[in-house]
């Protein structure tokens, strides 16, 4: 054996070990200096409750897998419903997301949540996730979810308030006071809100951020919905029919409560227009129901049938007793009701009465005698 070989081997071994330790040290320095900085540039700063070792460990995982966190969960236009229930942990949520195919790696998602400190603030709720969203977007959305609530056509303010309270704990008394005296709460709108917001809140679905959910913001969202719904074409129709915007909203609310079928709304609107032209009272049952208010026996705001002597109830909303429009709308109208008032059917009818078959449809009459003939036995 060559003696030179035996003497050089320890040298090369030591040199290799030194080089290895140098490379490892360089990698460690790179990780300590570069990885947290790179992670912060991509995902923002880490939560302050982590020690340096945790930040380095989580940053390394995120940098190595960042593509999985920033790719869309689906295609443009796709939506996915996802529910977080009370007391679910971050791991429960991540595993459910993975099971539904909305993320690729539950552990990676948890790593991101803990890095950002989001794991401690995941809000329960129902979420609509768009296909263009990423895992990062979802994590942020889960911090501040939206609330979706629905307002049914034909509801009066009290019913609206009670429904919203079932989605979110609003102060219903404050909500109603704001709705009845909007200007006292600095609620402004191009709509005629001087007499309150009854009938000025469009029916439909509304989505609001949880952080913005309060009585005033909800009312503003629904007012904005009505403002957007009143297109120039509709406003021109109302003007051509000789109605002010507020009279339009009143008539639309009456049409809404009289018609079960949207198909009948233009014909019912035509009856009201014909009565205006003939100087007849509207004689609309729903206006009397509105005047009566809540019925404890039936547990409804819309008592049916009307009590005996209803036509003599002394209220400006009783259109059997008083001529002209009631003081305010009586309920939230639908788009179909607003459209019917803008573009009513052409008819010579002055009366309508519900059919006796329970269908909710009406018989229409030109004369009072003909109207009486349609009375149910």
């Amino acid at each position: 054996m060559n003696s030179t070989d035996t003497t050089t081997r320890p040298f090369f071994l030591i040199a290799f070990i030194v080089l290895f330790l140098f490379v490892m040290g360089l990698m460690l320095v790179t990780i300590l200096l570069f990885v947290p900085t790179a992670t912060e540039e991509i995902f923002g700063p880490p939560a302050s409750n982590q020690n340096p070792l945790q930040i380095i460990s989580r940053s390394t995982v995120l940098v190595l897998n960042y593509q999985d966190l920033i790719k869309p969960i689906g295609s443009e236009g796709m939506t996915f419903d996802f529910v977080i229930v009370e007391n679910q942990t971050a791991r429960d949520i991540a595993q459910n997301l993975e099971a539904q195919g909305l993320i690729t790696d539950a552990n990676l998602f948890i790593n991101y949540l803990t890095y950002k400190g989001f794991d401690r603030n995941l809000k329960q709720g129902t979420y609509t996730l768009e296909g263009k969203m990423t895992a990062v977007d979802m994590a942020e959305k889960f911090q501040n979810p939206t609330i979706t609530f629905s307002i049914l056509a034909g509801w009066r303010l009290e019913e609206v308030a009670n429904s919203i309270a079932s989605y979110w704990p609003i102060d219903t008394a404050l909500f109603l006071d704001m709705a009845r005296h909007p200007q006292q709460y600095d609620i402004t709108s191009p709509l005629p809100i001087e007499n309150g917001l009854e009938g000025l809140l469009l029916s439909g679905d509304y989505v609001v951020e949880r952080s913005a959910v309060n009585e005033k913001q909800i009312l503003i969202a629904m007012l904005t919905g009505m403002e957007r719904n009143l297109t120039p074409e509709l406003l021109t129709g109302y003007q051509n029919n000789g109605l002010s915007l507020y009279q339009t909203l009143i008539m639309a609310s009456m049409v809404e409560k009289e018609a079960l079928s949207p198909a009948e709304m233009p014909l019912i609107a035509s009856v009201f227009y014909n009565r205006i032209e003939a100087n007849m009272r509207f004689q609309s049952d729903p206006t009397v129901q509105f005047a009566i208010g809540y019925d404890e026996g039936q547990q409804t705001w819309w008592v049916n049938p009307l009590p005996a002597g209803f036509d003599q109830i002394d209220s400006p909303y009783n259109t059997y007793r008083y001529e002209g429009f009631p003081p305010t709308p009586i309920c939230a109208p639908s788009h179909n009701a607003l459209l019917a008032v803008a573009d009513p059917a052409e008819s010579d009818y002055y009366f309508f009465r519900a059919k006796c078959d329970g269908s909710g449809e009406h018989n229409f009459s030109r004369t009072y005698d003909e109207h009486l003939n349609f009375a149910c036995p």
Side-chain angles (χ1 to χ4, degrees), residues 219-233:
L219 286 169
I220 290 173
M222 289 190 285
L223 270 176
T224 302
M226 178 64 83
E227 292 167 18
R228 292 173 178 169
N229 188 80
L230 294 172
T231 62
E233 291 77 16

Side-chain angles (χ1 to χ4, degrees), residues 29 65 80 85 98 141 238 368:
V29 170
N65 299 278
F80 308 89
V85 299
E98 183 178 343
K141 189 177 182 69
Y238 305 146
Y368 185 65

Side-chain angles (χ1 to χ4, degrees), residues 54 72 82 86 95 133 175 204 231 235 247 258 295 303 309 335 344 357 365 375:
Q54 289 173 322
F82 185 75
E86 188 176 3
Q95 289 175 344
M133 295 179 68
F175 178 90
T231 62
L235 294 174
Q247 288 173 328
E258 291 281 13
D295 183 87
V303 60
H335 175 76
D357 58 5
S365 309

